[in-house]
Amino acid sequence: MRISGLVGASALALVLSSGAFAQEASLDLVEPIAEYKIYVSEKVAKLVEDTTAFTAAVKAGEVDKAKALFAPTRLSYEAIEPIAELFSDLDVSIDSRADDYEKAEADPEFPGFHRIEYGLWEKNSAEGLAPVADKLLADVKELEGRIASLTFPPEKVVGGAAVLMEEVAATKISGEEDRYSHTDLWDFRGNFDGARKIVDLVRPLIAEKEADFLKTVDANFATVDTTLAKYKDGEGYVTYDKLTEDDRKVLAAAVNTLAEDLSTLRGKLGLD
């Protein structure tokens, strides 16, 4: 392409400077991405450990034990969801909902955590769930193996902070995800922790230039954290059906505000 005149020269300079900025941003992100992969690897190892115990309880017909393990087991998956979703086949098999299947809960293809959740809470039974449990554990182990060999895309990692909170706002505030157990607040916590981890890892790269942005984001994280803390119950949370409509609106407002701020994070790191 021929570039003529001052406008063309300016345009070329802008392209070159943008490319240099993007390259510099990518280099700066090497360490945070490496640290994030360690974080994800630890979470998925915990997911395998917890899913092993959870599925063993399901297969043994220990309904109450399986119910108690369901939400804590999912916590690790929710924290790393932007990475898990890079493997769409496994994400569907592990975490899809009845709505995704023609016959809903009655569909034999309905798999994973939510199929087991349906049996445990709606049927109060683990009958017929052993094959589902075996497949879930196999899928979680497969996820661990794939993540171990994955090169983490920087834009997916940084963008994941917003994705996690946007998912809460779009599909979880309504209570549709854990509709049988109402353990949604555990999922919120996993998403929240995963988003905050990403921000903390990239914080040193933008601390000087984006001090006001970080101050705002930290205040919004604190608001969501304080709101979730209201519903603590022992080591976990009250069931989501105990929240009033006003409670949900307050939580939704805090989550939406945080998600909007985090949606600009990629741009601040030259990844848009």
Side-chain angles (χ1 to χ4, degrees):
M1 180 185 298
R2 184 184 177 95
I3 299 176
S4 60
L6 292 175
V7 174
S10 297
L12 178 59
L14 179 60
V15 169
L16 292 175
S17 63
S18 298
F21 177 70
Q23 185 176 18
E24 182 180 347
S26 296
L27 290 173
D28 288 342
L29 281 164
V30 168
E31 185 175 344
I33 297 298
E35 290 181 17
Y36 184 66
K37 184 165 186 177
I38 293 170
Y39 169 79
V40 171
S41 297
E42 289 172 348
K43 286 292 184 185
V44 78
K46 176 70 170 155
L47 177 65
V48 170
E49 177 187 341
D50 291 347
T51 304
T52 299
F54 170 63
T55 54
V58 171
K59 292 177 67 176
E62 298 173 334
V63 173
D64 289 342
K65 182 178 181 180
K67 284 181 176 180
L69 292 175
F70 174 76
T73 298
R74 285 178 52 76
L75 199 62
S76 297
Y77 190 82
E78 294 296 326
I80 63 168
E81 209 158 12
I83 299 302
E85 288 176 348
L86 293 175
F87 307 104
S88 58
D89 59 328
L90 291 179
D91 184 52
V92 167
S93 190
I94 291 169
D95 200 37
S96 59
R97 298 191 284 270
D99 306 353
D100 300 320
Y101 299 89
E102 183 179 356
K103 298 179 181 178
E105 289 88 353
D107 200 308
E109 297 300 314
F110 177 32
F113 276 119
H114 296 301
R115 173 64 185 90
I116 295 173
E117 179 197 7
Y118 170 71
L120 294 177
W121 271 270
E122 294 297 306
K123 303 292 187 181
N124 198 37
S125 171
E127 185 177 353
L129 293 179
V132 183
D134 284 340
K135 181 67 163 61
L136 174 62
L137 182 57
D139 288 336
V140 166
K141 289 180 176 178
E142 173 69 14
L143 178 65
E144 182 179 36
R146 292 196 199 177
I147 284 175
S149 59
L150 176 68
T151 299
F152 282 29
E155 67 280 3
K156 291 292 186 182
V157 172
V158 176
V163 167
L164 283 163
M165 300 316 299
E166 286 164 358
E167 181 164 328
V168 174
T171 67
K172 292 179 178 170
I173 288 292
S174 65
E176 67 184 78
E177 175 125 5
D178 299 319
R179 65 190 67 172
Y180 319 112
S181 63
H182 304 298
T183 54
D184 306 80
L185 291 174
W186 286 82
D187 283 8
F188 292 3
R189 169 54 63 183
N191 291 153
F192 176 86
D193 289 347
R196 185 159 57 180
K197 181 66 175 181
I198 292 167
V199 172
D200 286 343
L201 286 174
V202 302
R203 181 183 300 272
L205 303 183
I206 59 173
E208 186 174 341
K209 291 184 178 180
E210 299 290 349
D212 289 343
F213 167 78
L214 288 172
K215 185 177 180 180
T216 299
V217 165
D218 288 343
N220 290 336
F221 270 125
T223 298
V224 175
D225 205 14
T226 300
T227 305
L228 283 176
K230 290 170 54 180
Y231 308 113
K232 283 286 289 181
D233 182 23
E235 294 298 312
Y237 294 90
V238 301
T239 53
Y240 196 54
D241 54 338
K242 288 186 168 63
L243 274 65
T244 67
E245 192 61 34
D246 284 344
D247 290 333
R248 296 187 186 198
K249 286 179 180 177
V250 169
L251 186 55
V255 167
N256 275 311
T257 299
L258 181 56
E260 287 172 11
D261 287 337
L262 293 178
S263 68
T264 67
L265 188 59
R266 289 199 339 173
K268 294 181 186 303
L269 286 157
L271 295 172
D272 279 348

